[in-house]
């Protein structure tokens, strides 16, 4: 049983670098799988955020380019989200998570958290963060997916953006 390493992320932070919007995720002493990092960078069109790594003082930093995208957190606060937009976003997330095996990426290494799912406002395309690590980030990506989808739906219903009862369509990411 691989250990989940959620506790071992040092930090996630948004930075601006050379005019680009970057999500930087940092941790120590974790092994990067280089061919997975290359897979991520060769398949940006599938919805994977492009990533660069650098190591400094035994701390590994992964820098994900999310230029032109808003985090799910920002998107929900700033945008009129209806049920169709919600469906389109979460269907894409499920498709990408399911389809990553053919890129030899680990589905449990997607970071399905509100500040790590990115949405383009104009066409609703997404960028997801996949950690190209030997270790496993989530113990169960399906639980993670169901949680983020239902939490997002709840938030939309609480804010009055989506009618109650429209969350009956949940999709399994496996």
């Amino acid at each position: 049983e691989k250990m989940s390493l959620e506790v071992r992320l040092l930090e996630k932070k948004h930075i601006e670098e050379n005019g680009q919007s970057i999500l930087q995720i940092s941790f120590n002493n974790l092994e990067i799988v280089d061919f997975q990092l290359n897979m991520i960078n060769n398949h940006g069109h599938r919805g994977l955020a492009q990533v660069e790594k650098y190591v400094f003082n035994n701390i590994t930093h992964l820098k994900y380019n999310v230029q032109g995208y808003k985090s799910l957190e920002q998107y929900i606060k700033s945008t009129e989200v209806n049920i169709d937009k919600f469906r389109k976003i979460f269907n894409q997330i499920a498709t990408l998570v399911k389809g990553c095996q053919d890129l030899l990426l680990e589905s449990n290494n997607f970071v399905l958290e509100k500040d790590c799912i990115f949405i383009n406002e104009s066409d609703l395309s997404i960028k997801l963060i996949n950690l190209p690590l030997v270790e496993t980030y989530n113990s169960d990506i399906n639980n993670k997916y169901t949680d983020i989808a239902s939490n997002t739906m709840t938030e939309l219903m609480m804010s009055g953006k989506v009618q109650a009862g429209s969350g009956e369509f949940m999709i399994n990411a496996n």
Side-chain angles (χ1 to χ4, degrees):
E1 179 65 6
K2 286 176 158 181
M3 193 184 86
S4 177
L5 58 93
E6 219 154 343
V7 290
R8 292 173 60 196
L9 288 189
L10 292 180
E11 66 170 359
K12 299 187 286 197
K13 67 177 183 183
H14 282 272
I15 56 177
E16 287 287 325
E17 202 171 76
N18 307 323
Q20 298 293 299
S21 176
I22 303 289
L23 174 71
Q24 178 174 286
I25 297 182
S26 309
F27 35 75
N28 34 15
N29 303 325
L30 295 178
E31 200 182 330
I32 299 284
V33 184
D34 284 316
F35 87 82
Q36 287 186 341
L37 187 137
N38 294 332
M39 279 298 214
I40 290 169
N41 288 335
N42 291 333
H43 293 88
H45 60 279
R46 299 267 297 256
L48 295 159
Q50 307 291 272
V51 60
E52 286 176 21
K53 73 164 179 185
Y54 71 100
V55 180
F56 186 73
N57 289 343
N58 283 333
I59 297 179
T60 301
H61 302 279
L62 289 175
K63 291 181 167 189
Y64 291 87
N65 190 324
V66 292
Q67 181 63 28
Y69 288 75
K70 279 187 170 176
S71 71
L72 180 62
E73 194 168 31
Q74 296 167 312
Y75 181 77
I76 285 176
K77 288 195 175 95
S78 65
T79 311
E80 277 310 310
V81 185
N82 58 28
I83 190 67
D84 291 333
K85 287 181 178 175
F86 175 89
R87 270 207 187 98
K88 184 170 180 188
I89 290 163
F90 277 87
N91 276 325
Q92 286 181 86
I93 295 170
T95 300
L96 180 52
V97 170
K98 274 186 216 162
C100 76
Q101 277 90 352
D102 64 337
L103 302 179
L104 305 176
L105 297 177
E106 178 54 67
S107 61
N108 277 322
N109 284 355
F110 279 102
V111 186
L112 298 186
E113 289 151 30
K114 276 200 299 195
D115 55 347
C116 292
I117 292 169
F118 293 90
I119 298 155
N120 180 305
E121 276 188 293
S122 58
D123 65 2
L124 292 189
S125 63
I126 61 165
K127 289 284 179 203
L128 294 188
I129 303 302
N130 185 282
L131 301 170
L133 297 172
V134 171
E135 289 89 348
T136 309
Y137 183 63
N138 303 291
S139 52
D140 184 343
I141 195 67
N142 270 313
N143 289 347
K144 230 21 208 219
Y145 176 85
T146 306
D147 286 352
I148 186 95
S150 61
N151 292 345
T152 303
M153 178 54 79
T154 302
E155 205 173 318
L156 291 172
M157 291 194 293
M158 302 285 279
S159 68
K161 290 185 175 181
V162 165
Q163 297 305 301
S166 46
E168 306 305 318
F169 68 96
M170 291 303 301
I171 340 147
N172 214 359
N174 221 359

